[in-house]
Amino acid sequence: MESGKKISVIVPCFDEEEGLTTFNQTLIRYLPANYQYEIIYVNDGSRDNTFQVILTLAKNNPAIKYISFSRNFGHQNALKAGYDFASGDCAISLDADLQHPPDVIPELILKWEEGFEIVNTIRNDHHSISFAKKTSSRIFYQIMRKLSDVNIENGMADFRLIDKKVLKQLKLFSENYLFFRGIIPWMGFKQTIVPFMANERFAGTTKYTFKKMLKFATTGVTAFSVKPLRLSIYLGSAIALLSFLYGLYAAYIHLFTHRAITGWTSVIFSVLFIGGINLLMLGIIGEYLGKLFIENKRRPNYLISETNLD
Ligand code: UDP
Ligand code: MG
């Protein structure tokens, strides 16, 4: 029975031409028949024929919408565009490579129908996910939890359902360093978590290079916490204390043993050590300063070159 409600599905795409048609078929198969739907494909500056594929899909199905960026703005900004334009009673975001299995969607909707306003998912690692990816992801979430005050579960994915109430609030977020996995748990509302088994990428290769992952992780921490800045106070005090103790020891040697101190090694060591710590702290401060600089410009998160949404 038709409920009269609409589900928005948001799919960020960057160079996904090979798998997108299959993805689209699979996705539609798992969308419940008692809801209307719209699928918003966000073409994040793909260099291949992803946009042509999307246009073909949209021509054959009026429920398919697209937003095409003027260049690559990154996964999080692609998600933001989708959230900005979604008009459904709830919005589901998922990756275009079938790693976020569409067969979990009915379960997300069930939770929503039960009254949850945010349905998160966490990835239960599959044996096919590389060891490096698993480990780096685990370490990342551990650091994230230590440093920020947001409780992000291990393996939290950008595969989630949010109610239109949450969507309305989410549209108010226009920070340049977006990190939805931090923002969403921070928002409150009635939240729940559904685990899923990640598949292998259906086609193409990962768009998260090591460099992108590092950038993402840095943003995750620095956009959510000022604790790294506090690190300099702790490290500084620890080093000052150690230097003081060493000074006492040096004075003792000088006054009571009368042994001459050659001292070269210790001088070099302390100079290098203090220098290193100094640079590290400057780097941390610089990271925040840079973010302030960019944020202060209030530039838009993305620029649209073509869309069939208004
Ligand atoms: N993606 C994007 N812009 C980017 C990088 C990735 O829109 O700059 C999309 C990509 O098309 C996919 C999703 O974000 O739908 C996740 O990327 P990917 O599968 O490459 O990451 P992984 O699963 O390896 O972490
Ligand atoms: Mg993927």
Side-chain angles (χ1 to χ4, degrees):
M1 213 193 48
E2 177 71 52
S3 68
K5 288 192 172 182
K6 185 165 89 174
I7 296 171
S8 298
V9 183
I10 299 162
V11 191
C13 308
F14 177 52
D15 290 357
E16 302 283 3
E17 63 174 359
E18 289 162 75
L20 209 58
T21 310
T22 314
F23 169 83
N24 189 65
Q25 281 166 0
T26 319
L27 173 65
I28 289 174
R29 202 163 60 231
Y30 286 105
L31 293 177
N34 54 339
Y35 288 98
Q36 294 174 318
Y37 68 84
E38 68 174 353
I39 303 174
I40 305 176
Y41 285 106
V42 185
N43 174 34
D44 184 14
S46 299
R47 299 155 297 186
D48 64 3
N49 287 320
T50 301
F51 190 47
Q52 280 70 24
V53 176
I54 295 173
L55 285 178
T56 311
L57 294 174
K59 210 167 66 198
N60 297 322
N61 183 348
I64 294 182
K65 310 290 179 196
Y66 57 83
I67 299 169
S68 190
F69 286 174
S70 62
R71 64 167 169 88
N72 179 262
F73 280 91
H75 180 202
Q76 300 291 300
N77 286 319
L79 275 175
K80 173 162 175 54
Y83 286 138
D84 286 346
F85 285 88
S87 61
D89 293 279
C90 71
I92 299 171
S93 57
L94 78 168
D95 287 357
D97 56 6
L98 290 174
Q99 281 191 304
H100 295 161
D103 55 23
V104 179
I105 289 178
E107 205 183 329
L108 302 186
I109 292 173
L110 218 65
K111 291 282 178 198
W112 176 55
E113 288 167 342
E114 278 172 28
F116 287 104
E117 291 151 330
I118 298 178
V119 188
N120 295 297
T121 68
I122 48 173
R123 190 181 74 213
N124 275 342
D125 281 332
H126 199 265
H127 53 87
S128 68
I129 308 275
S130 79
F131 179 74
K133 185 124 196 165
K134 265 191 235 175
T135 319
S136 61
S137 139
R138 220 186 32 241
I139 293 173
F140 168 68
Y141 286 107
Q142 229 145 38
I143 295 177
M144 219 22 232
R145 270 195 302 273
K146 279 260 153 40
L147 289 182
S148 68
D149 301 314
V150 183
N151 192 23
I152 305 179
E153 306 276 336
N154 268 1
M156 186 86 102
D158 280 313
F159 178 23
R160 68 175 74 83
L161 179 151
I162 60 178
D163 184 75
K164 71 162 183 272
K165 205 195 298 182
V166 181
L167 200 57
K168 191 176 153 206
Q169 302 298 324
L170 204 57
K171 286 175 188 170
L172 304 175
F173 289 69
S174 60
E175 46 206 274
N176 280 107
Y177 292 95
L178 272 174
F179 186 66
F180 283 115
R181 288 174 220 181
I183 292 174
I184 300 276
W186 176 91
M187 287 179 84
F189 293 101
K190 274 180 242 135
Q191 305 206 9
T192 185
I193 300 177
V194 169
F196 72 92
M197 216 43 159
N199 294 318
E200 251 173 290
R201 200 171 225 292
F202 174 72
T205 53
T206 177
K207 307 303 175 308
Y208 268 102
T209 53
F210 182 69
K211 203 172 130 196
K212 264 195 185 172
M213 279 212 308
L214 208 62
K215 202 170 137 194
F216 187 58
T218 318
T219 297
V221 172
T222 55
F224 253 88
S225 157
V226 287
K227 279 188 190 165
L229 288 172
R230 214 172 294 150
L231 206 68
S232 56
I233 298 176
Y234 298 146
L235 263 174
S237 343
I239 289 164
L241 182 70
L242 285 176
S243 319
F244 178 70
L245 292 177
Y246 188 73
L248 284 183
Y249 167 73
Y252 166 79
I253 298 274
H254 182 70
L255 293 174
F256 298 103
T257 69
H258 301 291
R259 268 193 281 129
I261 296 168
T262 39
W264 185 80
T265 319
S266 59
V267 168
I268 279 294
F269 173 77
S270 46
V271 165
L272 290 180
F273 185 61
I274 306 282
I277 297 290
N278 251 318
L279 280 179
L280 174 69
M281 293 308 136
L282 267 179
I284 293 178
I285 293 170
E287 176 70 29
Y288 282 97
L289 193 69
K291 286 215 158 65
L292 269 174
F293 172 69
I294 300 285
E295 209 72 78
N296 197 40
K297 292 180 196 289
R298 302 200 173 279
R299 285 199 184 149
N301 289 72
Y302 51 82
L303 298 176
I304 297 174
S305 84
E306 269 158 277
T307 177
N308 59 353
L309 286 155
D310 19 82

